[in-house]
Amino acid sequence: MIFDGPSDAWATILLAHGAGAPMDSRSMTTAAEALALVGFRVARFEFGYMAARRSGIRKPPPRAETVVPEYVAAIDALNAKGPLIIGGKSMGGRVASMMADHAFGEGKIAGLLCLGYPFHPPGKPTQLRTAHLEHLKTPALIVQGTRDEFGSKEEVATYALSDKIEMLWLEDGDHDLKPRKTISGFSAVDHLKTMADGVASWVRRSI
């Protein structure tokens, strides 16, 4: 695992990576650092297939449900003190969302944070990955760019999502939450700060 933020933080955030990039990718690192700056202890981990790539063993991303046990193991290994929020980038957040209610019911976690949720594969808007989100009981925040090809603001507005889910929209953000500065007037740094401040505000309200 990689850690950012104070070791004595009152709340910890555990993040898993997306399907194609490791836990130390630029998008994961900048997100973790932004969350650490607002006072969270942030832990990042890798699923086995991604860790294997560091040894030169190329494995394709597995089906999300097959790595749920690895996320459960990461929670147990972390043994966080105080409130624990689980989540991740894209696929990592999706995997966390699949087991969130079970972990929440057991008192292991306090919330769910998804950064760029993959509501559907790019170009396939009818192949939704939202069935389990309709009745989610875990307090959740999804941070999404308005032009995310995995689920834009216009598309998500039509989905039936649990009232436990809050959305934080970042104007003109893509799947990595990055805006086109010349079009939006915002920079990636602006959106990272908005994300981190939004997470902190949501935690104070909901956790």
Side-chain angles (χ1 to χ4, degrees):
M1 289 189 181
I2 300 175
F3 293 91
D4 294 275
S7 58
D8 60 350
W10 79 275
T12 300
I13 300 176
L14 178 62
L15 297 176
H17 56 83
M23 63 181 175
D24 55 358
S25 67
R26 179 166 178 78
S27 62
M28 286 286 289
T29 298
T30 54
E33 291 174 345
L35 290 166
L37 281 174
V38 296
F40 293 107
R41 178 69 162 168
V42 184
R44 289 175 272 165
F45 78 98
E46 283 182 341
F47 297 117
Y49 81 93
M50 186 62 71
R53 292 184 182 184
R54 296 183 183 274
S55 302
I57 303 173
R58 295 290 299 182
K59 293 184 177 182
R63 294 180 64 86
E65 58 270 20
T66 66
V67 293
V68 166
E70 293 185 49
Y71 209 121
V72 174
I75 292 173
D76 293 339
L78 180 60
N79 192 28
K81 304 298 186 291
L84 173 63
I85 298 152
I86 63 168
K89 172 77 178 71
S90 193
M91 186 191 82
R94 183 184 175 205
V95 174
S97 72
M98 290 176 165
M99 44 77 66
D101 277 356
H102 182 73
F104 183 67
E106 291 187 334
K108 291 185 176 182
I109 69 168
L112 170 69
L113 172 63
C114 299
L115 305 177
Y117 186 84
F119 288 98
H120 60 73
K124 300 177 180 179
T126 62
Q127 294 184 20
L128 294 180
R129 299 158 169 166
T130 57
H132 67 292
L133 299 180
E134 295 182 11
H135 306 289
L136 190 76
K137 297 178 177 63
T138 307
L141 177 66
I142 297 177
V143 184
Q144 197 87 351
T146 60
R147 64 182 178 91
D148 191 330
E149 62 180 351
F150 288 78
S152 67
K153 188 174 184 179
E154 292 76 18
E155 291 172 330
V156 175
T158 67
Y159 303 156
L161 301 178
S162 165
D163 61 7
K164 292 293 186 179
I165 298 174
E166 290 188 32
M167 297 292 305
L168 174 58
W169 290 102
L170 299 178
E171 185 61 35
D172 197 57
D174 61 13
H175 194 51
D176 286 331
L177 310 180
K178 293 180 180 178
R180 297 166 294 184
K181 187 173 183 179
T182 56
I183 293 176
S184 69
F186 295 100
S187 68
V189 172
D190 293 332
H191 276 1
L192 284 169
K193 186 176 188 306
T194 299
M195 178 275 292
D197 288 344
V199 173
S201 176
W202 166 72
V203 168
R204 287 192 294 269
R205 291 194 314 272
S206 308
I207 303 303

